[in-house]
Amino acid sequence: MRTGTRSPWASAGIFAAVAGLLAFTLFPAYFMLSSALAPKRTVTGTEVLLPDEVTLDNFTYVLGDAGFVRYLGNSLFIAVATVLGSALLALLAAVAVSRFRFRFRTTVLVMVLVVQMVPLEALVIPLFLQASSLDMLNSLLGLSIVYVALSLPFAIWMLRGFTAAVPVEVEEAAYIDGASWGRMFWSVLLPLVAPGLVATGIFSFITAWNEFLIAYAFLDMEEYYTVAVGLRQFAGQNTTDWGAMMAASTIVTIPVMVFFLFVQRGLVSGLVQGAVKG
């Protein structure tokens, strides 16, 4: 056998391993979708793996009688506000710590890392008490502010690498050409760090879209529920409507998939550039 030539058995083994890993990874998504499309009487049985009947009743109930459309709108508002707010504040903070030299600059960077190490469970009670004193409970805007604060440490640290990688000479050339700081920021710096903004925006979106613990603590009025909190209504004390829950879970994954399809190229570019330049 020539050196570097893979035998048919080795190729078959690799193919089998990849296929097995792919099946193991995709099975939860298949089970969720098949449970959502199966009739209610079969959801609790093994028939859901290979349903002999397909129905959209679960989706109709979730989007109609269950009022899940309202929860989708609430979560979309919070996620978009979180992405925009964290991107703007993180970019300004990243420019400050990477371009300017000021007292306690290193301390600020260390504190950003320390905040990321604190478990979310340890922050729920302090955040709840502070939000209660500021009358921010049962408020989509108040919850968005909290998510922006939670997303900022990671976003600042990641964008710092992108802004630091932009040569200072590029900014100086813009100033020589007569550009103001605002024009330089908008026309020169922002396009160069755009891949980093895409990458951090995705993480901020997923954080705001999937977060449950803080939303559950902050929201006790149904009209303000997010999708993560709204899923609880399908689980009762003694019974669980698995068909409706799986249908709602399927609906919840669609916006994330669509968001990924639009920004996947920017995500890959951002992660690679951040790894090389950061």
Side-chain angles (χ1 to χ4, degrees):
M1 183 182 300
R2 293 182 300 174
T3 303
T5 302
R6 185 180 295 121
S7 66
W9 288 107
S11 300
I14 294 175
F15 176 80
V18 172
L21 181 61
L22 185 62
F24 179 79
T25 304
L26 294 179
F27 178 76
Y30 167 77
F31 185 82
M32 178 181 68
L33 183 59
S34 62
S35 300
L37 294 174
K40 290 183 179 295
R41 67 178 184 275
T42 64
V43 171
T44 56
T46 57
E47 301 91 341
V48 73
L49 294 176
L50 293 172
D52 55 358
E53 182 182 352
V54 175
T55 178
L56 297 177
D57 291 345
N58 293 320
F59 289 94
T60 303
Y61 168 72
V62 168
L63 295 176
D65 298 338
F68 210 75
V69 175
R70 179 190 305 168
Y71 309 151
L72 288 171
N74 293 341
S75 287
L76 186 61
F77 172 83
I78 292 173
V80 172
T82 301
V83 170
L84 296 179
S86 62
L88 176 61
L89 295 177
L91 181 57
L92 294 176
V95 171
V97 297
S98 62
R99 282 290 186 265
F100 303 107
R101 297 295 181 265
F102 53 90
R103 195 177 182 184
F104 303 122
R105 174 176 173 271
T106 304
T107 304
V108 171
L109 293 175
V110 172
M111 290 302 298
V112 168
L113 287 178
V114 171
V115 170
Q116 288 185 281
M117 299 170 60
V118 179
L120 181 61
E121 292 78 6
L123 300 175
V124 174
I125 295 178
L127 287 174
F128 177 84
L129 295 177
Q130 187 173 12
S132 179
S133 64
L134 297 175
D135 197 23
M136 291 170 53
L137 300 179
N138 288 313
S139 170
L140 299 182
L141 181 60
L143 192 58
S144 301
I145 294 174
V146 173
Y147 287 160
V148 169
L150 293 176
S151 303
L152 275 179
F154 172 82
I156 292 173
W157 191 259
M158 188 167 187
L159 286 175
R160 172 183 170 272
F162 285 90
T163 54
V166 178
V168 180
E169 292 77 11
V170 175
E171 301 178 10
E172 294 175 347
Y175 292 140
I176 293 175
D177 291 338
S180 62
W181 190 89
R183 180 62 183 272
M184 184 281 301
F185 180 84
W186 182 260
S187 302
V188 178
L189 185 61
L190 186 61
L192 293 175
V193 299
L197 288 173
V198 172
T200 55
I202 289 176
F203 287 107
S204 299
F205 183 89
I206 294 176
T207 298
W209 187 263
N210 293 334
E211 202 282 325
F212 168 77
L213 190 59
I214 294 179
Y216 181 63
F218 276 46
L219 307 175
D220 59 8
M221 297 178 63
E222 186 176 351
E223 60 181 302
Y224 298 114
Y225 279 0
T226 61
V227 290
V229 180
L231 285 172
R232 291 187 63 257
Q233 69 175 319
F234 305 117
Q237 183 176 0
N238 300 315
T239 59
T240 299
D241 191 346
W242 290 108
M245 180 172 289
M246 293 300 178
S249 300
T250 303
I251 295 172
V252 168
T253 61
I254 294 176
V256 180
M257 294 175 61
V258 172
F259 191 68
F260 264 111
L261 290 176
F262 276 107
V263 300
Q264 61 177 339
R265 182 171 300 179
L267 172 65
V268 175
S269 175
L271 293 178
V272 172
Q273 291 186 32
V276 174
K277 297 179 181 180

